Amino acid sequence: MLQLGKQGRIISLTNLVRNFYTLDSKTSNLCACKDILTNLQRKYKKSDSSVSSLFIPVPVKPNSDDINVGAELTGSFNKAELLKLLNKFYQKKEVKQLLTENGLDAYLQHQSYVSFRRYCLEADALPVDLHVVVSDILQGAGNVTDIFPYFMRHAKQMFPHLECMDDLKKISDLRTPANWYPEARALNRKIIFHAGPTNSGKTFHALERFFTAKSGVYCGPLKLLAVEVFNKSNNMGTPCDLVTGEERNIVDPSGSPSSHVSCTVEMTSVNTPYEVAVIDEIQMIKDPGRGWAWTRALLGIKAEEIHICGEAGTADLLRQLCLTTGEDVEIRNYKRLTELKIEEKALGSLDKAEPGDCIVCFSKNDIYSVSRGIEASGKEVAVIYGGLPPGTKLAQAAKFNDPDNSCKILVATDAIGMGLNLSIRRIIFYSLIKPTMNDKGEKEMDTLSVSSALQIAGRAGRYGTQWEEGRVTTFKTEDLKTLKSLLSSQPEPIIQAGLHPTADQIELYAYHLPNSTLSNLMDIFVSLSTVDDSLYFMCNVEDFKFLADMIQHVPLPLRTRYVFCCAPINKKMPFVCTMFLKFARQYSKNEPITFDWLCRNIGWPLQLPRTIIDLVHLEAVFDVLDLYLWLSYRFMDLFVDANLIRDMQKELDAIIQQGVVQITRLLKNSESVISSGTSSAAAEDEFSLTRQKQHYLRDTKTSLGKGRLTERLLAQGILTPNMLQELKKEWNNPSDKISKSLPTPENNEDDGSGDDDNSGAKRTRRKRKTK
């Protein structure tokens, strides 16, 4: 056996060889080998690090009201002599060895000694038993090592985990996750893997079985895909319900659940029995943030047949996972239905864009500049990127797909990789470098992965569209060779599935460590967890911890706090984070989060965007409404106006759609604001005045200069590491500084302006109409 570290993370030499052996002549490449070696190095480095520093010491203070019984029995002693005695005790090698055997490493020993020494020297009255022992030692009637049990008693008060470390390790033993689902293990499930590239018909064949089954569940990676299957199933005469994080759609008017359900993978029920289950895009089981959801669905769904769809590179991992469940995998391989050709020349100029082209960008700035460049040549474009609402994405897709529409060119991010049916003739990669954010909030640039390149390129020439074959190229000539190399490679083999701590496990940790914060509990759990590294990895919990730290000062029960922190939030959007914090505060006060309350906080009604900054902010507001709906299904008692919020979201979607249609004009307006104002500060002032009219700014008595940082974050939706630190300081301020400085209407309710009255009238009419 090859052991990595001291935390139970063990990988056998056999499994190590197996991982390399799977890289056959078709898949063997430097990238795959590099990934495996990097993974092993990461595990080794992590497992060697000490976890002791994660345990926050509990202050142990002497009780000033205690009567000094020890002094009455044996007399008082000199504090200077006591200090010498304590130092002599701590310097003994046998004492340090004994402390180590009792679970105290060098860090814990030092922390405990500093605290114990301070306790003894500052206490007016020591505990009587400790006082007597110290007195005896000072008088020559005892040995300095007699202090040991009292030192250990103090250390265990400081670090409660010393009493329960074995229990903590048992709770975080994740080596056999298949055993977490005994009801699924009791079934003789039939596993079928539909393996193939994009546009090969693999999901089509899996869904055929889903539609004809007596009962079934479809588990998709995106709401758009879940909605597509929901609509298709009902159109075919198979009643099907829709379940996503933000929506529940029961098709039966009586409210009775249907036998078929289309859901996002996180919402999959592992308690409901089905005849057939379809798990789509199984390769996302390796996703560092969401991979756990695919692992849970694969291991836990109670279905007679499970149809899995995804990349062929997942096959070996599925075989190994099914060995742990005692099940066999039937693999059905599919080939692409239409031909995909790589062109010999790069596009070179936006003027050469043709009908059916999709230019793929990896940043919003590129999206904006490419869109403007194409429209400058007199051609109309459709725009799709991840931050847009689902309705806007579908509207842009329909506009592009419509043969009678004048819009023939699409500009998009990799958001088109799944979830949208698009009639694309040619994919043009504007760049092959994709920017990403690391855990420190720093931007990193990396070449597109083979899997992503194949997924995106495969969207060209989709079967059933007007294009009989697909084409792919790059915008820059120097990228074409790299693209050919990427598309001629096989996707990297997927060797691990994601896992994530459950609420029950964290609650057990909190029982043993009642003084630890939720973020701290997650850190300790991940550090102490024992995972079979040959099959699994622990998903990234940084986003979870970010939200946990943000609302740590808000008084909430642990289970509620855990659920709040599971909310799907983009932490790079300050306005969304601010509203998340306000939701948590309102909930902690047991006050309902109503339609009117939300209107005041987001400045409803909203106006059409005039600049790109306006559009970005509207997208953030849409995410806030999504967050409200997500929370409303988990806390129905206080998030009471879900139906009104859903109608509000539809109206906002329409506003954003109009903004996207006029994206070039928004860009021009943004530039004119900057050029005419001669500085970005002038642009911010202009934006602030606009938001003031929409009830975003605080009371007029307050100086506009205060809270400029939070105003700028709110307006632009851009977060840098330095701004993040400043914002976190405000969020963590118990004096509630953030709610005083942020430009929200909570501090403007008594403004008495005519605008407020008008907006109130609009809200009243809005509610009457909805009802």
Side-chain angles (χ1 to χ4, degrees), residues 48-116:
D48 260 356
S49 62
S50 173
V51 299
S52 297
S53 59
L54 297 176
F55 294 97
I56 300 174
V58 178
V60 182
K61 296 181 180 180
N63 189 345
S64 58
D65 296 332
D66 285 346
I67 300 174
N68 199 348
V69 177
E72 294 181 2
L73 292 175
T74 62
S76 58
F77 42 74
N78 187 284
K79 294 287 184 177
E81 293 180 354
L82 174 60
L83 177 59
K84 291 180 182 179
L85 179 65
L86 294 176
N87 287 335
K88 184 179 180 182
F89 162 79
Y90 187 60
Q91 290 167 2
K92 281 189 169 295
K93 292 183 178 179
E94 55 267 34
V95 169
K96 291 183 178 294
Q97 179 64 31
L98 200 55
L99 290 172
T100 302
E101 293 173 0
N102 279 268
L104 279 78
D105 60 15
Y107 172 81
L108 295 179
Q109 289 178 25
H110 177 71
Q111 293 289 318
S112 300
Y113 175 66
V114 170
S115 176
F116 183 68

Side-chain angles (χ1 to χ4, degrees), residues 9-21:
R9 287 182 167 80
I10 299 173
I11 178 169
S12 67
L13 287 175
T14 304
N15 281 324
L16 182 61
V17 173
R18 174 179 63 77
N19 289 338
F20 278 99
Y21 184 74

Side-chain angles (χ1 to χ4, degrees), residues 343 345-360 369-382 400 406-411 425-430 467 473-475:
E343 296 188 344
K345 291 184 178 181
L347 187 66
S349 170
L350 295 177
D351 294 336
K352 297 179 181 179
E354 300 174 357
D357 281 353
C358 172
I359 302 178
V360 177
S369 62
V370 170
S371 300
R372 184 171 183 180
I374 293 175
E375 290 199 343
S377 64
K379 300 169 186 175
E380 190 176 346
V381 297
F400 173 73
S406 57
C407 175
K408 303 296 183 184
I409 298 173
L410 175 65
V411 180
R425 181 185 70 92
R426 179 172 60 171
I427 289 286
I428 301 162
F429 286 92
Y430 191 69
W467 312 112
T473 187
T474 59
F475 181 76

Side-chain angles (χ1 to χ4, degrees), residues 561-629:
R561 190 182 301 276
Y562 182 96
V563 173
F564 262 87
C565 295
C566 288
I569 292 177
N570 183 351
K571 67 181 183 181
K572 292 178 288 187
M573 301 184 72
F575 182 67
V576 181
C577 293
T578 300
M579 290 304 301
F580 171 78
L581 177 59
K582 290 190 176 186
F583 285 151
R585 285 175 175 161
Q586 191 79 349
Y587 183 92
S588 71
K589 294 184 287 188
N590 200 33
E591 296 180 3
I593 297 90
T594 62
F595 173 81
D596 289 333
W597 181 92
L598 190 60
C599 284
R600 293 196 304 272
N601 280 273
I602 66 174
W604 190 266
L606 299 169
Q607 298 176 0
L608 285 172
R610 291 170 52 257
T611 65
I612 285 296
I613 291 178
D614 289 353
L615 180 62
V616 169
H617 182 69
L618 292 181
E619 293 166 9
V621 174
F622 190 92
D623 285 351
V624 169
L625 302 185
D626 250 354
L627 174 61
Y628 183 102
L629 295 175

